[in-house]
Amino acid sequence: MTTPSGHRALSEPQFCGLVDELNADPARRGALADLLREDNPIYDQHGGAVTVRMRGWVLLALSRAGLPNSALLFALEELDNGRDAYLVAVAARALRSYAQPSRAFAPLLMRAISNIHFHDDLFCLECYGGYSESAAGTTAVREVFAALLWLGAHAHAVLPEIDAISANKTEEFSDALAGEAGRLAEAIRRAAATQGHAQGHCCAGPADLGSFRAWAPGSTGNAESIDSILFEDQDRNRVDFGQFFRGQPSVVTFFYTRCNNPRKCSLTVAKLARLQQLLSERDLADRIRTAAITYDPAFDLPDRLRGYGQSRGLRMDAGHKMLRAIDGMSTLCAHFQLGVNFVESLVNRHRVEVYVLNAAGHIVASFERLQWDEREVLAQAVALLRDTR
Amino acid sequence: MAIELLINNSADARAKYVSWTPSQCKIRLADATGMTQPVPVKLRNKPGAAGGKAVFYASLAAAPAATLSLTLPLSGTSVSFFVAGKFGSPSVADGDAAIQVRAGTRLLGEFPLMVRIRKNANKLTAGERDRFVAAFARFNDRGAGRFADFRSMHTDAGSPEAHGAPGFLPWHRAYLLDLERELQVIDPSVALPYWRFDQRAPALFSGDFFGHSDATGTVHFSATNPLQFWSTDGVPGIKRRPLFDTATSGGNNLRNEAQTLAFGNQYVLFQEMEGDPHGLAHTSFGGSLSSIGTAAKDPLFFLLHANVDRLWAKWQKRFSRYDPAQASSFDRNAAGGGNRIGHNLGDTMWPWNGITGTPRPPTAPGGGLAGSPCVSAPGPQPAVRDGLDYQGRVAASSRLGFDYDDVPFA
Amino acid sequence: MNTKRRGRTSAKTSKGTRKARAGAPARSYKANWTVAANAGRSVKNRVAALAGLTRAVCDDNETFQGMLSILRDKSTPIAVRLAALSSLQAATFSVIKFNACRPAYLAALRSVASDPDPELRQRVLGVLSREHDGYAQKLLLEGLQKPEKALVPPEKALQLLSYDIHAEAYPVAREIVRKPPNAAAKREALRLLAADAASAPVFEKILRDKSESAEIRQLSASALLSLAPAKLQAHARAMVLDKSESDELKSTSLTALTHFGEEKAVAQDNALQKTVGLLIGKAAASAILKRVAKSFLAKYRR
């Protein structure tokens, strides 16, 4: 059977076989990281839960030989944004196999606890899919604790948060986990005392973690084909790519209204609203455009776009739009190299992604996978007002 | 001679709604042509009105009376008084009650109003039911309406803000109030009814109202019911499988009203009702209602919670637990160092406060809590404490503008 | 897993049990648990006792583990097992308190997803489906693809799969629409397909097919109103004007137009207004059709 994209569809057992085969061969192991890209055809037409199982298996395979640099960002992304406890557990385990602990990982691990501890589950990570039917097994929070222990002194900056878990004043954690947190804190303190801990800011920027990408000129596809893509906005106005995205720099995000991860689409659109506010405060709202484009144009009709944007405080006018592609969605995906895949017309998985375009409509920068900072994105766009990139 | 009477101190037509709790009003001579002395007037409920009935208070400290005598200055200065619905006589339609103002035998004016009360859903008239259903369906707007925000407020992501800690009752009171006010923008005659889950409710679980379920748990509506177009998360329909006979009984094994009110006179004891009867009311069904992350997909959720809120209101009345300063009115967990964020009296509540990021959820869809033309409280960003004094007994300005049919003010 | 809590509510006694803090509710849960756990007590008494344990489920590890054991124990009367499930479910609403119990709870649910008792299976798979649990989805899909492995009827499996629009259920749903094992399965398959915008043409076709049941056509109207409201409006109008259309579908159409129609277009549609006006006086028109016609005219009468 082939998928609509023309690739041979693999069953899950076949997929596992492929992963094991690649992992067993050091010369081919590098291809495993490529299997983590959302747009990899291997995920085409697979459902969300299947995609989770497949990705988890790849990360676990990578962790057996040591998480390579090429896969690090995928693990960090799960910690930063993940809603699925299994993938958070797997990501934390995979991180422990990385060659070098870093202070930059600590806040992401703590964010993972905050994201997941009310939706945790029990896992058998040795089993494909991780599902547990018994009381034995691990949890996402336990795996994150293990990763923090591995960080040792590098986790010193997040000790106050670990201490808060240990104190457990609001009883959000079981006594067992609170106790583990206490022992973790002690271990980190001992490690810091032995090895010392570097002072200074613990939180690395996106460039340090690999989520910022500067696009080389000409690295996107055929400008003519993208120009002809026709959009409809939240007010049913039609505009093509060239009409909206040429003439001024712009910031473009992607989302869809049926995303069930609030740290992805809902937060992305809310952050775009905050970026719009920063533009207004700097009197730049008429000089830099913003757009939120839906991955799901068939369902996200104008009234849905409008409602979603309004409830997140998004400004919508001539220079700031929510858009759906009337046609050319595949061209759009290719042009932006979007990290998304589909089951039928629905998204099965996507990454957080925001793009900065210059006045010629060319992509000059993107922030991918990890949560982006509105000010950093704004700075990229503002820089375009000054130069001729 | 002409008079002006402002209900809820407002000329806004949308402010002509009162409950059992006294609403401040103003009356004045708008045109005193031909008058040489201040004008004595008598206010009374319009006789013969089939629906709501009004009672009057000279001041909040006074007892309610069927009539009220006032003297209107020639200068046109307003005179304040209070009006409320007569307990036990709620309106059944918009404007079915009225205040008559007479000077002697002369009728100076008749001012329609509605005694708008949250009622037992099983006892609504056909008109009340149809208006409520129409407003609710419109609010959902086949899945594309503002109801989507309310659905998003009650998912797994936001659940720690609203459950398992003392803020459970105030949070849901705010949630229901926000929804009700949004429905009242569509139809101001609508009030949120409650599902009395310890009693049978065959009228509620019917095709013309909230539907009847088949063996699979699919809810069916009559062809005239706009709720047949209800949609959430992109999927049409409602999944609800009662695990009890809705025609003959209430929910399974849950505490009845008397048992719930018998939890005790301290909030720290009463909040146990979150498990039983509240939790058991939810799990008296298979389907969306029985899991926290999907419960708000079913519109019955709001009627279930209206009953939870009514029980709290009844408990408050019984033990006079309105004052946030009173220890027994709330659970401060003072010994433990306080409750989780969002569950302390002074905490503003998500999502209305717009605060996002750990320890709050990542986003706060929907904006501030809806305002009302009738009252100013609680404001767009309510705190936990704002939910306690809902009748304005401690501070009149705290009044939230709703009442239940069987929980009086006086 | 040790779920004993420390901190604000209690101090441990020498026996390791919890001493209630001043003002906290009297802990009758121990008494309830004693009854619930006692196989010698009547089913009725045990069920009532389990209902009294909702908030206490996660306060004491022994009680919690005991509830899970009751759930798992195939030799326990099913009514008692279902009552344990209800109490556990009710306890999940106390999110913060239940947090510590959640992983073991979910694992226990998976362990009984294939239980011999059909009611327990259905309820457990329902809970897991609402969590978007991949394990449950896998079982449900397998049951649809291989009926001999089905744990619940096909209509129920489809209904549960529709909680997650990202589930891989669309191909099997289409197949069931094509060859339905029963009417309810076809209906639930269509409902699931309503999440896929590309299915709009399917619903248009069914809506106008008078050989389809009223229920299926009404579901199609609902799906089309969500996916392509302008198209539904056009079809609804046509159906009201169609003399050979059933009263039930006319009623559904008029309800859609009354509450969700594009108001300006409907208000200016003279032919529609006239037809609806005639319905009220038409002796052969059903009561429900006249009722919705009156609602329509109340909104649109000029």
Side-chain angles (χ1 to χ4, degrees), chain B residues 96-148:
Chain B
D96 67 358
I99 299 171
Q100 277 188 346
V101 182
R102 289 183 181 274
T105 57
R106 180 180 170 191
L107 181 65
L108 297 181
E110 199 168 272
F111 300 88
L113 59 104
M114 182 182 188
V115 182
R116 189 173 60 188
I117 297 293
R118 293 181 180 180
K119 299 179 181 178
N120 185 329
N122 199 51
K123 296 180 180 171
L124 295 183
T125 64
E128 289 173 316
R129 174 200 68 204
D130 289 348
R131 286 196 304 274
F132 174 69
V133 156
F136 216 160
R138 185 71 225 155
F139 193 51
N140 176 258
D141 195 9
R142 55 185 177 83
R146 274 266 294 142
F147 180 79

Side-chain angles (χ1 to χ4, degrees), chain A residues 13-40:
Chain A
Q14 289 170 328
F15 174 79
C16 290
L18 171 65
V19 169
D20 293 344
E21 189 186 305
L22 291 173
N23 201 35
D25 182 353
R28 297 171 69 199
R29 196 175 289 141
L32 279 176
D34 197 54
L35 292 182
L36 291 171
R37 281 182 22 243
E38 292 82 359
D39 57 320
N40 191 306

Side-chain angles (χ1 to χ4, degrees), chain C residues 183-202:
Chain C
K186 181 175 179 176
R187 180 192 71 206
E188 296 308 318
L190 283 169
R191 192 186 312 280
L192 193 152
L193 286 172
D196 176 23
S199 296
V202 172

Side-chain angles (χ1 to χ4, degrees), chain A residues 47 121 166 171 175 344, chain C residues 4-6 110 168 174 196:
Chain A
D121 201 339
S166 172
E171 297 195 330
D175 281 1
E344 307 285 331
Chain C
K4 280 190 182 164
R5 310 182 86 83
R6 60 178 179 166
R110 289 188 199 104
E168 211 168 281
R174 270 195 210 94
D196 176 23

Side-chain angles (χ1 to χ4, degrees), chain A residues 194-268:
Chain A
T194 309
Q195 301 160 29
H197 56 93
Q199 300 296 325
H201 190 57
C202 73
C203 305
D208 304 313
L209 295 172
S211 68
F212 172 77
R213 181 175 154 198
W215 290 55
S219 56
T220 52
N222 185 322
E224 281 159 14
S225 63
I226 192 79
D227 263 1
S228 62
I229 289 180
L230 185 62
F231 295 103
E232 184 178 43
D233 75 4
Q234 72 284 337
D235 294 322
R236 301 179 196 278
N237 300 316
R238 299 214 163 177
V239 65
D240 66 38
F241 185 97
Q243 283 173 316
F244 188 75
F245 291 108
R246 294 191 191 284
Q248 289 182 340
S250 54
V251 174
V252 184
T253 61
F254 287 83
F255 80 105
Y256 71 118
T257 65
R258 293 188 287 180
C259 179
N260 58 9
N261 184 343
R263 289 194 60 78
K264 287 191 176 178
C265 296
S266 186
L267 183 54
T268 289

Side-chain angles (χ1 to χ4, degrees), chain A residues 46-48 50 117-121 131-133 166 171-172 174-175 256 258 298 301 304 344-347, chain C residues 4-6 72 99-100 102-103 106-107 110-111 132 134-135 137 165-166 168 170 174 195-197 226-227:
Chain A
H46 279 305
V50 176
H117 81 284
F118 281 113
H119 323 294
D120 210 346
D121 201 339
Y131 306 118
S132 174
E133 294 180 38
S166 172
E171 297 195 330
E172 292 176 24
S174 66
D175 281 1
Y256 71 118
R258 293 188 287 180
L301 300 176
R304 287 201 175 91
E344 307 285 331
S345 65
L346 284 116
V347 174
Chain C
K4 280 190 182 164
R5 310 182 86 83
R6 60 178 179 166
R72 288 191 173 111
N99 194 25
R102 189 187 139 92
L106 291 175
R110 289 188 199 104
S111 74
H132 295 190
Y135 180 84
Q137 287 180 9
I165 58 168
H166 305 91
E168 211 168 281
Y170 298 100
R174 270 195 210 94
D196 176 23
S226 174
L227 296 176

